[in-house]
Amino acid sequence: MDFSFTPEQEQLRASLAAYLRDHHDFAARQAAVASESGRNTALWHGLADQLGLLALGGPDAPDPFDLLVVMQELGVALVTEPYLESAITSATLLRHSGTQAAAALLPRIASGAAVVVLADTERGARLGAPPHHTRADRSGDGWLLGGAKSTIMAAPWATTLLVTAQTADGTAVFAVDPHSDGVTMFPYRTIDGRRAADLRFDAVALTEAQLVAAPDIAATAIEHATDAAIAALAAEALGVTRRILDDTIAYTRDRRQFGQSIAGFQALQHRMVDMFMKIEAATSATYLATMKLGAPPRERTLAISGAKVLVGEACRFVGQNGVQLHGGMGMTEELAVGHYFKRATVIEGLMGTSDDHLARYMATAATPQPAAA
Amino acid sequence: MDLALSPAEQAFAADIRRFFSQEYPQDVLALVRDGRKLTRDDHVRSQQALNAKGWLGVGWPAEHGGPGWTPVERYLFEQELELAGAPSIIPMAVIYIGPIICAFGTPEQQGRWLPDILESRAMWAQGYSEPESGSDLASLRMSAVRDGDDYVLNGTKIWTSGAHWADWIFCLVRTEKCERKQDGISMICADMRTPGITVHPIISIDGAHELNRVEFDNVRVPAANMIGEPGKGWHYANVLLAAERVSYAHIGRKRADLAELRRVAATMPGSVAATMADEPLFARRVALAEIRLNAVEMSVLRVLCGDAAPAAVSALKIACTELAQEITELWVELAGRDRAIVADRTRADWRDAAPEAAPFAVPRTASYLFERAQTIYGGATEIQKTIVWRALDRANAGIARS
Ligand SMILES: Cc1cc2nc3c(=O)[nH]c(=O)nc-3n(C[C@H](O)[C@H](O)[C@H](O)COP(=O)(O)OP(=O)(O)OC[C@H]3O[C@@H](n4cnc5c(N)ncnc54)[C@H](O)[C@@H]3O)c2cc1C
C-alpha cells in the first residue's frame, strides 16, 4: 500500500498552486466574479496552455488522482472556471460513449477551445432521476428535442451542451449548440460567484450526428460521468474546507478579545480540531472513492456515495463554524471565508445532497452482492 | 400545574388572529409570501397598523403607550404575528431602546422620542459593537467628551443593523476611564443627521445590505441626549437584556416555517419515496425539528412564567437560535442544487429569472446564509455557554454549601 502521490503529481500540485498564487489571488478572483460574463479567460488559457491541465479532458482517460490533485488546488484558490464541468464530467461521458460525435469534441475540450457542459438535471429532480421533462423524438433523418433543464452550472459559458433526453428506447444524450433555434437560456449568477442557467428546448432540430450517446450506452456513460464528477467535486471540497480551516486558525490567532488571542480559548481550539477531523474523514473517503472509480458498479456506488456523505458533512460543519468563529467578519462579503462557505454550501447540494447519497448508500448496501462467477 | 391557555388567553389570541387576517395590510403579507425584500416603507406601514391597535410598544408600560400585556399575552401576540407571516417589529427602537427610555429617560426625552417611535416617524439603530469590541463589549472605546452643553463623540461603531434607515442611534460610549471597564460607559443618543456621522454599508454573505459601519468624527451631541447618569450605560443596557431574554425565541415563525416546509415537501419528488414529505431521511429530520420546537416552546413559556433556572434561560437562546438554523438547513436540503441560484428579490418578477427553479429556493437560501448570524449576535453561542456554565457552577456551589 502506498498513499504517496507520484513525483509527477507532486510537481503538478506545486506548479498549479504556484500559478494560482501568482495569477489568481482573492482580489483577482472577485474581479472576475463581478465581471459581466463572470469568466476569467486569461486563467482558462493559463490552465490550458501554460499548465496543460485541460489535456486531462482529452481522448485518453487520465489518472483519477491527477484530477484529484487539480481539483483540490482549484478548491484552495476558489477558482470558478468550468474545469469540472467540461474537462471532467463531459469528457468522462464522451469517452464512455465512444461515438464519432463524442470523439470530435474531446480534442476541443483538451485545447480549451470548447466548453462542454452536461445538461442533465430537471425541475425538482433528485439524485439519479432520469430525464422526465425533456424528450427527443425521431423526425425524418434526425430528432426533435423539447423540454427543460434546471440549474445547469456553467451553462451560460458552454459552447456545446450535452443534453439528456428521453427517447422511445430510453435515455439518450445529444450535443446541442446553445445558440440553436428553439433553445432558450435563462442565465443567472450563483451564490458561489459562478453562472448557471435554466434551459428550455422548443422543437430543436437535431441531426443524427448530434446523438452523442444512444440509449444502449447512455445510462452507463452518464453514471460514469457523474461518479467521476462527484469524486472531483469531493476533491475540490477538500481544498475549500482546508482553506476555511486555515483562514479560521489564522483569524482567531490574530483576533483579540478579553485581552487575549481568541485562539487561546479552549472552546475554539476544540472546535477547530473538530473541523480538522471532518476534513480528515472527508479526505480518506475521497481517496477511497477516487480509487474505486474503476470498480464494479456496486462497489463504486458505495464508495462514491459514502464520500459525498462525509464531504457534505465536512462542507456544512467546516463552513458554518468557519463563519461562526470569524464572528461578524464571517458574515461579510469582504472576507474570503464567506465565499468559501458559499462554495461549500453549493458543493453540498450538487449531484445529490448528503441525505440523497446516504439513501443511495443504504439502498445499495441492502441489495445482496452478486455471487462471484 | 396547568399548562393550557385559559379561555381568556384563547380569546385574546383569536382576536389577534382576526386582526392579521382582516385589518393588517394584506399586501405586506403578500410580499412576504412572495419572497420579496421589504422596503423601509413596508415596515413603516406594518408597524403603523400595529400601532393603530395600540399593539406596537409591546414591552412598554401602559403609561407610555404600551398595551399592558402579561408576558404570556405578549408571547401570544408575537406568535400570532409570526404565524400570520407578518414581518417582526424592527427591534432597535421598539424593543431595545424604547423600554430603556421609558425606564431611565427624563420626561423631556420621553416626550421627544417615544411618540415618534410609536408613530414610526423615527427609526433607530443600536450602536454597541465596535471593530475591536464584539464579544468583549465592555472594552469599547468610542469616546464622549463633555464640552459645555455638548458631548463630543469620536470613534467607530460596526455591524450597525439598519443604520442606513435610521433617524437616531443609541450608543454605548466611554465617558471615563475606570478600573472596571464596565464603569466608564454611558448611553447617549445621536440624531443621524448630525455633522460628522457617516454610514458605510457592509454587504453580508446573502448579498443584502443590512449592516453598516458608522463613523463618528467630532460629532457634537447635546448633553440632554444622554440617558440616565454618566457611567451607568452598562447597567441600563443589561437591565434591558434581562427583560428581552426571550425576544429571540420566534416560536411562531419556526412553526409557520415547518408547516410550510411540510406543505412544499409534499409537492416535490423524493429519491426513495414518491415525495419529499415521505422521504425517510428528510421526514426524520423534519420530525426531529418539530419535536425540538415543541420542547423549546414549552421552555419559553416556563421562562415567561418564572419557572426556569438562570442557566436554563441562557441555554434557551442557544436552543432557539440553533433550531432556527436547523430549519433553514431543511429548506436548503429541499432546494437541492437550486440553493445555488441568485435572483434580485427587490423585483416583483424575480422568479422569472430562473423559471425551472424551486420557487422557494432563492429566499430560503438567503435565510440559510444570513441566519448564521443568529448564533453570533446577541451573545455568541460560545459566550452564552460560558454564562450557562457559570450559572450551573454557582447553583452547584449553593447546593454544596447547604
Ligand atoms: C447580522 C448581525 C447584526 C448585528 N447587529 C448589530 C447591531 O445592530 N448593533 C450592534 O451594536 N451590534 C450588532 N451586531 C454585532 C454583534 O453583537 C457581534 O457580532 C457579536 O457581539 C460578536 O462580536 P464579533 O463579531 O466582534 O466577534 P468576536 O467577539 O470577535 O468573536 C469571534 C468568535 O470568537 C468567539 N469568542 C469570543 N470570545 C470568546 C471566549 N471568551 N470564549 C470562547 N469563544 C469566544 C465568539 O463566540 C465567536 O465565535 C450584529 C452582528 C451581526 C452578525
Side-chain angles (χ1 to χ4, degrees):
Chain A
M1 218 173 234
D2 179 6
F3 279 103
S4 57
F5 288 94
T6 63
E8 292 77 18
Q9 284 163 343
E10 292 296 357
Q11 176 60 34
L12 172 65
R13 184 189 297 286
S15 57
L16 176 54
Y19 184 86
L20 291 170
R21 255 196 314 278
D22 293 346
H23 295 90
H24 190 265
D25 61 11
F26 184 63
R29 190 252 181 203
Q30 290 309 88
V33 163
S35 71
E36 182 64 32
S37 74
R39 280 304 298 273
N40 186 340
T41 40
L43 179 64
W44 187 247
H45 290 305
L47 296 178
D49 305 334
Q50 265 161 285
L51 296 163
L53 293 183
L54 283 164
L56 298 174
D60 300 323
D63 179 342
F65 280 93
D66 288 359
L67 294 177
L68 181 145
V69 167
V70 172
M71 288 304 295
Q72 215 172 349
E73 294 308 317
L74 296 182
V76 170
L78 209 58
V79 170
T80 48
E81 289 297 287
Y83 188 84
L84 168 71
E85 289 80 2
S86 190
I88 299 181
T89 316
S90 294
T92 307
L93 191 153
L94 294 169
R95 273 187 223 112
H96 275 90
S97 81
T99 56
Q100 240 175 3
L105 277 169
L106 283 164
R108 302 191 58 237
I109 292 178
S111 73
V115 172
V116 183
V117 169
L118 173 62
D120 56 344
T121 50
E122 299 186 351
R123 186 180 198 122
R126 298 201 82 86
L127 173 65
H132 182 65
H133 301 293
T134 313
R135 286 199 58 82
D137 292 299
R138 284 270 174 208
S139 160
D141 294 345
W143 301 81
L144 274 183
L145 177 72
K149 297 289 178 183
S150 90
T151 329
I152 306 301
M153 300 299 295
W157 299 332
T159 55
T160 300
L161 297 165
L162 301 180
V163 180
T164 61
Q166 207 51 248
T167 70
D169 303 319
T171 301
V173 183
F174 296 88
V176 179
D177 176 349
H179 302 292
S180 320
D181 281 350
V183 178
T184 313
M185 173 125 27
F186 299 85
Y188 41 80
R189 289 167 188 267
T190 56
I191 59 170
D192 54 350
R194 299 175 187 224
R195 299 294 190 277
D198 289 2
L199 298 163
R200 282 194 179 152
F201 308 102
D202 183 19
V204 181
L206 303 173
T207 65
E208 188 63 22
Q210 285 173 277
L211 178 64
V212 163
D216 55 334
I217 49 158
T220 317
I222 293 169
E223 214 176 277
H224 279 285
T226 311
D227 286 350
I230 292 171
L233 198 61
E236 184 193 346
L238 301 181
V240 168
T241 49
R242 182 72 221 191
R243 175 64 196 271
I244 294 174
L245 177 59
D246 288 345
D247 278 12
T248 306
I249 294 172
Y251 183 82
T252 54
R253 188 189 296 121
D254 290 348
R255 173 73 173 166
R256 296 183 71 80
Q257 287 290 278
F258 304 99
Q260 68 165 90
S261 153
I262 60 173
F265 295 121
Q266 205 170 44
L268 299 196
Q269 293 167 354
H270 286 188
R271 190 82 50 83
M272 289 185 274
V273 171
D274 290 338
M275 292 162 75
F276 170 72
M277 291 175 66
K278 293 279 186 211
I279 299 172
E280 271 301 297
T283 304
S284 292
T286 301
Y287 285 7
L288 182 66
T290 307
M291 202 171 80
K292 296 280 188 191
L293 277 175
R298 184 176 189 276
E299 226 177 299
R300 183 157 44 97
T301 300
L302 291 177
I304 289 286
S305 284
K308 192 67 169 61
V309 169
L310 292 188
V311 163
E313 227 173 64
C315 282
R316 183 161 56 230
F317 187 84
V318 176
Q320 293 180 348
N321 281 291
V323 170
Q324 179 72 22
L325 268 50
H326 276 75
M329 286 308 292
M331 288 298 300
T332 68
E333 286 276 339
E334 195 179 317
L335 283 200
V337 69
H339 297 272
Y340 281 83
F341 169 51
K342 286 191 275 188
R343 179 61 185 159
T345 300
V346 170
I347 289 176
E348 203 195 323
L350 286 179
M351 299 177 215
T353 65
S354 295
D355 276 3
D356 294 335
H357 281 278
L358 187 53
R360 189 168 83 149
Y361 186 101
M362 288 158 64
T364 309
T367 52
Q369 199 141 10
Chain B
M1 206 180 257
D2 183 4
L3 300 178
L5 293 180
S6 70
E9 285 164 341
Q10 285 175 26
F12 174 86
D15 188 36
I16 306 231
R17 204 169 312 139
R18 201 160 38 244
F19 163 79
F20 279 106
S21 68
Q22 291 170 11
E23 294 168 54
Y24 182 84
Q26 299 297 304
D27 59 315
V28 174
L29 298 181
L31 285 172
V32 174
R33 266 198 307 274
D34 197 36
R36 296 280 298 285
K37 272 210 180 350
L38 298 186
T39 62
R40 185 184 193 279
D41 183 57
D42 296 328
H43 282 283
V44 166
R45 282 190 305 123
S46 171
Q47 298 195 172
Q48 282 175 340
L50 300 182
N51 191 51
K53 301 285 286 187
W55 292 347
L56 183 63
V58 283
W60 300 17
E63 74 253 36
H64 292 298
W69 287 330
T70 64
V72 170
E73 284 171 335
R74 175 173 170 190
Y75 171 80
L76 290 173
F77 167 76
E78 281 166 2
Q79 169 133 335
E80 291 302 331
L81 177 147
E82 292 174 352
L83 287 173
S88 295
I89 295 169
I90 298 181
M92 310 312 162
V94 175
I95 314 283
Y96 297 162
I97 193 64
I100 299 186
I101 298 171
C102 292
F104 304 109
T106 62
E108 184 274 330
Q109 289 172 333
Q110 291 167 346
R112 185 150 58 106
W113 289 326
L114 295 179
D116 282 352
I117 291 177
L118 286 183
E119 303 292 333
S120 296
R121 282 192 297 267
M123 283 208 186
W124 286 64
Q126 179 191 40
Y128 285 8
S129 307
E130 298 182 5
E132 304 305 324
S133 304
S135 296
D136 183 13
L137 184 60
S139 69
L140 63 90
R141 289 183 220 173
M142 179 160 137
S143 67
V145 176
R146 184 76 192 234
D147 181 31
D149 288 340
D150 295 334
Y151 278 95
V152 179
L153 275 44
N154 277 291
T156 305
K157 293 295 179 184
I158 196 167
W159 317 124
T160 326
S161 303
H164 56 303
W165 281 357
D167 305 284
W168 285 84
I169 185 167
F170 59 102
C171 294
L172 288 179
V173 294
R174 190 160 298 285
T175 40
E176 216 184 325
K177 290 229 164 26
C178 300
E179 187 92 358
R180 248 181 105 249
K181 59 189 174 184
Q182 289 83 354
D183 284 343
I185 294 175
S186 305
M187 191 176 283
I188 196 164
C189 306
D191 184 326
M192 288 295 284
R193 287 162 307 192
T194 318
I197 298 183
T198 50
V199 177
H200 306 267
I202 298 174
I203 305 302
S204 44
I205 51 177
D206 57 332
H209 172 205
E210 201 161 311
L211 303 174
N212 302 276
R213 197 180 80 241
V214 185
E215 300 284 354
F216 294 79
D217 179 16
N218 286 315
V219 175
R220 281 195 166 269
V221 173
N225 287 6
M226 180 163 291
I227 302 222
E229 292 170 45
K232 290 257 175 83
W234 189 256
H235 168 70
Y236 304 142
N238 278 295
V239 167
L240 164 86
L241 281 184
E244 284 307 326
R245 58 197 180 176
V246 294
S247 67
Y248 46 73
H250 300 302
I251 300 296
R253 183 90 56 216
K254 292 182 181 68
R255 205 164 284 293
D257 271 0
L258 279 174
E260 174 76 357
L261 182 80
R262 273 192 187 281
R263 196 188 62 70
V264 172
T267 68
M268 300 192 59
S271 61
V272 176
T275 74
M276 284 301 282
D278 298 320
E279 184 74 16
L281 295 173
F282 188 72
R284 174 182 186 276
R285 288 170 68 183
V286 176
L288 274 175
E290 272 177 12
I291 289 167
R292 269 194 259 284
L293 176 57
N294 293 338
V296 153
E297 177 175 30
M298 206 38 71
S299 301
V300 168
L301 290 169
R302 281 169 56 207
V303 168
L304 289 177
C305 297
D307 169 58
V313 178
S314 295
L316 194 52
K317 194 257 174 184
I318 302 174
C320 287
T321 53
E322 288 187 347
L323 181 56
Q325 292 177 337
E326 187 180 328
I327 294 170
T328 68
E329 286 178 21
L330 292 171
W331 279 106
V332 292
E333 176 69 32
L334 201 56
R337 58 194 288 124
D338 289 358
R339 71 184 66 184
I341 302 168
V342 172
D344 177 6
R345 290 184 295 120
T346 61
R347 299 170 55 112
D349 62 353
W350 66 268
R351 278 199 184 83
D352 298 348
E356 294 298 316
F360 60 85
V362 172
R364 294 299 181 173
T365 304
S367 300
Y368 171 72
L369 297 172
F370 190 73
E371 300 310 344
R372 301 311 315 162
Q374 285 208 24
T375 48
I376 296 173
Y377 57 62
T381 298
E382 293 74 17
I383 301 299
Q384 213 71 30
K385 283 189 178 169
T386 302
I387 296 172
V388 176
W389 165 249
R390 286 193 188 129
L392 282 179
D393 191 33
R394 256 195 318 274
N396 184 274
I399 294 166
R401 264 196 307 275
S402 62

